[in-house]
Amino acid sequence: MKQDEFDQLTVAIDSLSPSQRHQLLERLQHPDTIPAIIEHLEQQLQSQLRCPHCDHDQVYRWGTLRGIQRYRCRSCHKTFTALTGTPLARLRKRELWMDYAQSMLNSEVLRTAAARCHIHLTTSFRWRHRFLKLADTLNAGALSGIVEADQTLFRESFKGQRQIPQRRARKRGNANKQEAKWVPVLVARDRSAGEADFVLDHFTLKNVEQHLLPRLSPDIVLCTDGHLTFEALTAKHHLAHQVINASAGERLKAPAFHIQGVNNYHQRLKGWIQRFHGVATKYLPHYLGWYRWFDQHRAKLSQPSDFMEDLIMAEHLQHLSRT
């Protein structure tokens, strides 16, 4: 607020009635609640105050925007807040963000989440994928030691689309399994709780090399089933490989080499995703990241602020610290 506006405000205060003075005092002492995630973002921004547009460190305060401190860069002259570059940017009804985070913490379907927050179904859908589009930041950057890897299949889904040019229309599902197309999901886990998953177009050596190989340490021992893609990968890149032949009744090789951990993860993932009655294939990576967060935090009781911070803060800090 400018000084002349403040002077006008002080003059107006003198004309207030006792009741109005009391209401004003209450408003000053108890301002509108700011979600905890915004406070976290503002603290992180102030600890490393740089322009998110050009990475310049010469910035200064430039008023406020709906109660949030705004800054302006001396280099590019653009303004920004702590929400700039996050999924929360330009998102309205911030008083409902924590309620919606609680619905996601409860793994509620879109209609239930919309009813909880008294918002439109379209808004519920848009918010969900705003919060989940950064879930890839929770993928393990490196896997070491004994690494289990295996693929699981999800049926291709065009849920929500009005026109499906890829196949002929069908009514209430299709019992013909040969006609269905299945989407492979590769999951890799090490024994220190590191986990990464990838939605692949086809389970080929090229796709596995592109997604999995950069995350494998050179000294790992890869435990897989007998799929030829894994054998070709380990032979080509000289990785130690233990094959578990499940079709022959083999469950482990020595106490340490097995794929029971990754198979158990597949079972828990599919059991959790059933509540949504099908997930569109284009959004499947978002839901995999959503469950990945649950699996990483299943040992503790989490709050909505924890969920929001983990899905937003990692990318925001990476955005601010880029060079």
Side-chain angles (χ1 to χ4, degrees), residues 8-25:
Q8 294 176 8
L9 177 62
T10 55
V11 172
I13 291 177
D14 296 336
S15 61
L16 295 178
S17 66
S19 176
Q20 291 173 335
R21 288 173 181 263
H22 178 73
Q23 294 178 17
L24 179 60
L25 182 61

Side-chain angles (χ1 to χ4, degrees), residues 150-177:
D150 197 7
Q151 68 160 332
T152 187
L153 299 175
F154 288 86
R155 193 166 185 169
E156 185 181 39
S157 172
F158 298 97
K159 185 177 181 180
Q161 293 189 25
R162 296 295 183 183
Q163 301 294 331
I164 306 176
Q166 290 88 339
R167 59 166 172 78
R168 63 183 179 85
R170 59 173 183 256
K171 188 176 181 180
R172 296 188 180 90
N174 182 12
N176 188 356
K177 302 298 184 181

Side-chain angles (χ1 to χ4, degrees), residues 26-240:
E26 286 292 325
R27 184 67 180 272
L28 292 174
Q29 292 179 343
H30 305 285
D32 293 338
T33 302
I34 297 179
I37 186 62
I38 296 182
E39 296 180 356
H40 283 298
L41 291 173
E42 287 190 321
Q43 291 174 3
Q44 294 294 338
L45 177 61
Q46 292 174 8
S47 65
Q48 190 176 4
L49 195 55
R50 307 182 73 90
C51 175
H53 304 291
C54 67
D55 201 41
H56 203 269
D57 60 355
Q58 295 298 316
V59 299
Y60 55 96
R61 295 175 182 268
W62 190 257
T64 60
L65 180 64
R66 292 189 290 274
I68 304 176
Q69 181 62 53
R70 183 167 56 178
Y71 300 90
R72 189 169 189 262
C73 177
R74 295 184 185 275
S75 176
C76 65
H77 306 295
K78 293 182 179 179
T79 61
F80 61 93
T81 68
L83 300 182
T84 301
T86 73
L88 300 179
R90 299 183 178 89
L91 203 63
R92 301 181 180 181
K93 299 182 179 181
R94 66 186 185 191
E95 68 277 4
L96 300 177
W97 292 351
M98 288 297 109
D99 289 338
Y100 196 80
Q102 181 63 56
S103 75
M104 297 187 69
L105 203 60
N106 296 341
S107 301
E108 295 175 352
V109 298
L110 288 173
R111 295 184 185 276
T112 305
R116 169 194 287 270
C117 300
H118 305 286
I119 58 178
H120 195 273
L121 180 61
T122 303
T123 303
S124 178
F125 174 83
R126 186 173 64 253
W127 282 18
R128 169 161 299 179
H129 292 286
R130 275 281 194 105
F131 295 158
L132 289 180
K133 70 178 182 179
L134 298 180
D136 288 341
T137 60
L138 303 180
N139 249 344
L143 301 172
S144 58
I146 300 176
V147 178
E148 304 175 29
D150 197 7
Q151 68 160 332
T152 187
L153 299 175
F154 288 86
R155 193 166 185 169
E156 185 181 39
S157 172
F158 298 97
K159 185 177 181 180
Q161 293 189 25
R162 296 295 183 183
Q163 301 294 331
I164 306 176
Q166 290 88 339
R167 59 166 172 78
R168 63 183 179 85
R170 59 173 183 256
K171 188 176 181 180
R172 296 188 180 90
N174 182 12
N176 188 356
K177 302 298 184 181
Q178 295 181 349
E179 185 178 331
K181 180 181 178 181
W182 298 89
V183 179
V185 173
L186 173 62
V187 179
R189 293 169 58 88
D190 62 21
R191 299 299 166 80
S192 59
E195 191 271 331
D197 50 54
F198 316 95
V199 180
L200 307 178
D201 294 331
H202 302 281
F203 194 70
T204 61
L205 176 60
K206 180 180 179 180
N207 287 337
V208 174
E209 283 181 323
Q210 177 184 351
H211 293 87
L212 180 60
L213 189 62
R215 301 175 188 269
L216 298 179
S217 301
D219 57 346
I220 61 103
V221 177
L222 189 64
C223 296
T224 70
D225 58 12
H227 200 287
L228 294 179
T229 299
F230 290 124
E231 294 188 3
L233 175 73
T234 54
K236 180 178 178 180
H237 298 280
H238 309 288
L239 299 174

